[in-house]
PDB file of all heavy atoms in Angstrom:
ATOM      1  N   MET A1297       0.865  -1.196   0.000  1.00 47.00           N
ATOM      2  CA  MET A1297       0.000   0.000   0.000  1.00 47.00           C
ATOM      3  C   MET A1297       0.894   1.236   0.000  1.00 47.00           C
ATOM      4  O   MET A1297       1.757   1.394   0.849  1.00 47.00           O
ATOM      5  CB  MET A1297      -0.889  -0.020   1.244  1.00 47.00           C
ATOM      6  CG  MET A1297      -1.832   1.178   1.335  1.00 47.00           C
ATOM      7  SD  MET A1297      -3.048   1.213   0.003  1.00 47.00           S
ATOM      8  CE  MET A1297      -3.934  -0.293   0.382  1.00 47.00           C
ATOM      9  N   ASN A1310       0.852  12.699  15.223  1.00 96.00           N
ATOM     10  CA  ASN A1310       0.791  11.260  15.522  1.00 96.00           C
ATOM     11  C   ASN A1310      -0.488  10.642  14.942  1.00 96.00           C
ATOM     12  O   ASN A1310      -0.967   9.624  15.407  1.00 96.00           O
ATOM     13  CB  ASN A1310       0.885  10.984  17.025  1.00 96.00           C
ATOM     14  CG  ASN A1310      -0.193  11.696  17.823  1.00 96.00           C
ATOM     15  OD1 ASN A1310      -1.068  12.355  17.266  1.00 96.00           O
ATOM     16  ND2 ASN A1310      -0.133  11.557  19.145  1.00 96.00           N
ATOM     17  N   LEU A1312      -2.609  10.118  10.893  1.00 96.00           N
ATOM     18  CA  LEU A1312      -2.611  10.258   9.443  1.00 96.00           C
ATOM     19  C   LEU A1312      -4.052  10.432   8.980  1.00 96.00           C
ATOM     20  O   LEU A1312      -4.980   9.915   9.603  1.00 96.00           O
ATOM     21  CB  LEU A1312      -2.000   9.028   8.764  1.00 96.00           C
ATOM     22  CG  LEU A1312      -0.487   8.818   8.907  1.00 96.00           C
ATOM     23  CD1 LEU A1312      -0.083   7.498   8.262  1.00 96.00           C
ATOM     24  CD2 LEU A1312       0.282   9.978   8.282  1.00 96.00           C
ATOM     25  N   GLN A1323      -2.620  -2.874   5.104  1.00 94.00           N
ATOM     26  CA  GLN A1323      -1.273  -2.505   5.505  1.00 94.00           C
ATOM     27  C   GLN A1323      -0.928  -1.152   4.882  1.00 94.00           C
ATOM     28  O   GLN A1323      -0.885  -1.019   3.663  1.00 94.00           O
ATOM     29  CB  GLN A1323      -0.269  -3.571   5.045  1.00 94.00           C
ATOM     30  CG  GLN A1323      -0.572  -4.973   5.542  1.00 94.00           C
ATOM     31  CD  GLN A1323      -0.321  -5.115   7.034  1.00 94.00           C
ATOM     32  OE1 GLN A1323       0.690  -4.634   7.559  1.00 94.00           O
ATOM     33  NE2 GLN A1323      -1.242  -5.766   7.735  1.00 94.00           N
ATOM     34  N   ILE A1324      -0.691  -0.167   5.727  1.00 93.00           N
ATOM     35  CA  ILE A1324      -0.372   1.171   5.254  1.00 93.00           C
ATOM     36  C   ILE A1324       1.123   1.417   5.436  1.00 93.00           C
ATOM     37  O   ILE A1324       1.636   1.365   6.565  1.00 93.00           O
ATOM     38  CB  ILE A1324      -1.168   2.250   6.032  1.00 93.00           C
ATOM     39  CG1 ILE A1324      -2.669   1.975   5.946  1.00 93.00           C
ATOM     40  CG2 ILE A1324      -0.832   3.643   5.506  1.00 93.00           C
ATOM     41  CD1 ILE A1324      -3.228   2.018   4.551  1.00 93.00           C
ATOM     42  N   GLU A1325       1.815   1.653   4.327  1.00 91.00           N
ATOM     43  CA  GLU A1325       3.241   1.944   4.383  1.00 91.00           C
ATOM     44  C   GLU A1325       3.436   3.452   4.359  1.00 91.00           C
ATOM     45  O   GLU A1325       2.988   4.133   3.439  1.00 91.00           O
ATOM     46  CB  GLU A1325       3.964   1.295   3.205  1.00 91.00           C
ATOM     47  CG  GLU A1325       3.902  -0.226   3.218  1.00 91.00           C
ATOM     48  CD  GLU A1325       4.628  -0.841   2.039  1.00 91.00           C
ATOM     49  OE1 GLU A1325       5.245  -0.059   1.273  1.00 91.00           O
ATOM     50  OE2 GLU A1325       4.574  -2.066   1.885  1.00 91.00           O
ATOM     51  N   PHE A1326       4.098   3.960   5.392  1.00 89.00           N
ATOM     52  CA  PHE A1326       4.308   5.398   5.463  1.00 89.00           C
ATOM     53  C   PHE A1326       5.535   5.692   6.319  1.00 89.00           C
ATOM     54  O   PHE A1326       5.683   5.151   7.415  1.00 89.00           O
ATOM     55  CB  PHE A1326       3.086   6.104   6.076  1.00 89.00           C
ATOM     56  CG  PHE A1326       3.167   7.607   6.014  1.00 89.00           C
ATOM     57  CD1 PHE A1326       2.742   8.291   4.883  1.00 89.00           C
ATOM     58  CD2 PHE A1326       3.706   8.334   7.073  1.00 89.00           C
ATOM     59  CE1 PHE A1326       2.824   9.668   4.816  1.00 89.00           C
ATOM     60  CE2 PHE A1326       3.788   9.707   7.010  1.00 89.00           C
ATOM     61  CZ  PHE A1326       3.363  10.383   5.878  1.00 89.00           C
ATOM     62  N   GLY A1327       6.408   6.540   5.794  1.00 86.00           N
ATOM     63  CA  GLY A1327       7.588   6.950   6.550  1.00 86.00           C
ATOM     64  C   GLY A1327       8.509   5.811   6.928  1.00 86.00           C
ATOM     65  O   GLY A1327       9.104   5.827   8.013  1.00 86.00           O
ATOM     66  N   GLY A1328       8.602   4.791   6.051  1.00 87.00           N
ATOM     67  CA  GLY A1328       9.513   3.694   6.313  1.00 87.00           C
ATOM     68  C   GLY A1328       8.983   2.657   7.273  1.00 87.00           C
ATOM     69  O   GLY A1328       9.743   1.787   7.720  1.00 87.00           O
ATOM     70  N   ARG A1329       7.700   2.715   7.608  1.00 90.00           N
ATOM     71  CA  ARG A1329       7.115   1.721   8.493  1.00 90.00           C
ATOM     72  C   ARG A1329       5.774   1.265   7.941  1.00 90.00           C
ATOM     73  O   ARG A1329       5.194   1.922   7.080  1.00 90.00           O
ATOM     74  CB  ARG A1329       6.943   2.273   9.908  1.00 90.00           C
ATOM     75  CG  ARG A1329       6.151   3.554   9.966  1.00 90.00           C
ATOM     76  CD  ARG A1329       6.068   4.117  11.359  1.00 90.00           C
ATOM     77  NE  ARG A1329       5.328   3.258  12.268  1.00 90.00           N
ATOM     78  CZ  ARG A1329       4.547   3.712  13.236  1.00 90.00           C
ATOM     79  NH1 ARG A1329       4.419   5.026  13.430  1.00 90.00           N
ATOM     80  NH2 ARG A1329       3.916   2.886  14.027  1.00 90.00           N
ATOM     81  N   THR A1330       5.302   0.132   8.448  1.00 93.00           N
ATOM     82  CA  THR A1330       4.032  -0.431   8.012  1.00 93.00           C
ATOM     83  C   THR A1330       3.054  -0.420   9.176  1.00 93.00           C
ATOM     84  O   THR A1330       3.383  -0.874  10.280  1.00 93.00           O
ATOM     85  CB  THR A1330       4.203  -1.862   7.489  1.00 93.00           C
ATOM     86  OG1 THR A1330       5.125  -1.858   6.388  1.00 93.00           O
ATOM     87  CG2 THR A1330       2.875  -2.428   7.030  1.00 93.00           C
ATOM     88  N   ILE A1331       1.853   0.115   8.918  1.00 94.00           N
ATOM     89  CA  ILE A1331       0.824   0.201   9.955  1.00 94.00           C
ATOM     90  C   ILE A1331      -0.356  -0.654   9.524  1.00 94.00           C
ATOM     91  O   ILE A1331      -0.913  -0.463   8.440  1.00 94.00           O
ATOM     92  CB  ILE A1331       0.358   1.658  10.165  1.00 94.00           C
ATOM     93  CG1 ILE A1331       1.542   2.531  10.582  1.00 94.00           C
ATOM     94  CG2 ILE A1331      -0.768   1.731  11.185  1.00 94.00           C
ATOM     95  CD1 ILE A1331       1.208   4.015  10.665  1.00 94.00           C
ATOM     96  N   ALA A1332      -0.738  -1.617  10.348  1.00 95.00           N
ATOM     97  CA  ALA A1332      -1.907  -2.451  10.075  1.00 95.00           C
ATOM     98  C   ALA A1332      -3.135  -1.782  10.691  1.00 95.00           C
ATOM     99  O   ALA A1332      -3.152  -1.491  11.889  1.00 95.00           O
ATOM    100  CB  ALA A1332      -1.708  -3.852  10.653  1.00 95.00           C
ATOM    101  N   ALA A1344      -4.507   6.657  14.280  1.00 96.00           N
ATOM    102  CA  ALA A1344      -3.294   6.867  15.066  1.00 96.00           C
ATOM    103  C   ALA A1344      -2.104   6.137  14.459  1.00 96.00           C
ATOM    104  O   ALA A1344      -2.223   5.019  13.968  1.00 96.00           O
ATOM    105  CB  ALA A1344      -3.517   6.390  16.495  1.00 96.00           C
ATOM    106  N   THR A1345      -0.936   6.785  14.504  1.00 96.00           N
ATOM    107  CA  THR A1345       0.299   6.160  14.023  1.00 96.00           C
ATOM    108  C   THR A1345       1.134   5.619  15.175  1.00 96.00           C
ATOM    109  O   THR A1345       2.167   5.001  14.958  1.00 96.00           O
ATOM    110  CB  THR A1345       1.143   7.182  13.235  1.00 96.00           C
ATOM    111  OG1 THR A1345       1.443   8.291  14.095  1.00 96.00           O
ATOM    112  CG2 THR A1345       0.376   7.674  12.014  1.00 96.00           C
ATOM    113  N   GLN A1346       0.677   5.884  16.395  1.00 95.00           N
ATOM    114  CA  GLN A1346       1.331   5.345  17.585  1.00 95.00           C
ATOM    115  C   GLN A1346       0.262   5.157  18.646  1.00 95.00           C
ATOM    116  O   GLN A1346      -0.811   5.760  18.572  1.00 95.00           O
ATOM    117  CB  GLN A1346       2.420   6.297  18.092  1.00 95.00           C
ATOM    118  CG  GLN A1346       1.869   7.647  18.555  1.00 95.00           C
ATOM    119  CD  GLN A1346       2.966   8.616  18.951  1.00 95.00           C
ATOM    120  OE1 GLN A1346       3.899   8.828  18.199  1.00 95.00           O
ATOM    121  NE2 GLN A1346       2.834   9.201  20.135  1.00 95.00           N
ATOM    122  N   GLU A1347       0.524   4.310  19.616  1.00 96.00           N
ATOM    123  CA  GLU A1347      -0.457   4.109  20.680  1.00 96.00           C
ATOM    124  C   GLU A1347      -0.561   5.376  21.521  1.00 96.00           C
ATOM    125  O   GLU A1347       0.449   5.965  21.911  1.00 96.00           O
ATOM    126  CB  GLU A1347      -0.072   2.921  21.563  1.00 96.00           C
ATOM    127  CG  GLU A1347      -1.109   2.629  22.630  1.00 96.00           C
ATOM    128  CD  GLU A1347      -0.820   1.364  23.405  1.00 96.00           C
ATOM    129  OE1 GLU A1347      -0.847   0.266  22.800  1.00 96.00           O
ATOM    130  OE2 GLU A1347      -0.567   1.473  24.622  1.00 96.00           O
ATOM    131  N   VAL A1370      -2.417   1.671  17.651  1.00 96.00           N
ATOM    132  CA  VAL A1370      -1.845   2.021  16.353  1.00 96.00           C
ATOM    133  C   VAL A1370      -2.765   1.499  15.255  1.00 96.00           C
ATOM    134  O   VAL A1370      -3.183   0.334  15.275  1.00 96.00           O
ATOM    135  CB  VAL A1370      -0.435   1.408  16.197  1.00 96.00           C
ATOM    136  CG1 VAL A1370       0.129   1.723  14.818  1.00 96.00           C
ATOM    137  CG2 VAL A1370       0.487   1.895  17.293  1.00 96.00           C
ATOM    138  N   GLY A1371      -3.119   2.377  14.300  1.00 96.00           N
ATOM    139  CA  GLY A1371      -3.991   1.970  13.205  1.00 96.00           C
ATOM    140  C   GLY A1371      -5.469   2.040  13.532  1.00 96.00           C
ATOM    141  O   GLY A1371      -6.292   1.593  12.736  1.00 96.00           O
TER     142      GLY A1371
END
Side-chain angles (χ1 to χ4, degrees):
M1297 180 65 64
N1310 57 4
L1312 289 176
Q1323 304 289 317
I1324 304 298
E1325 296 180 4
F1326 187 86
R1329 55 183 295 216
T1330 301
I1331 300 174
T1345 59
Q1346 64 185 51
E1347 183 173 295
V1370 177

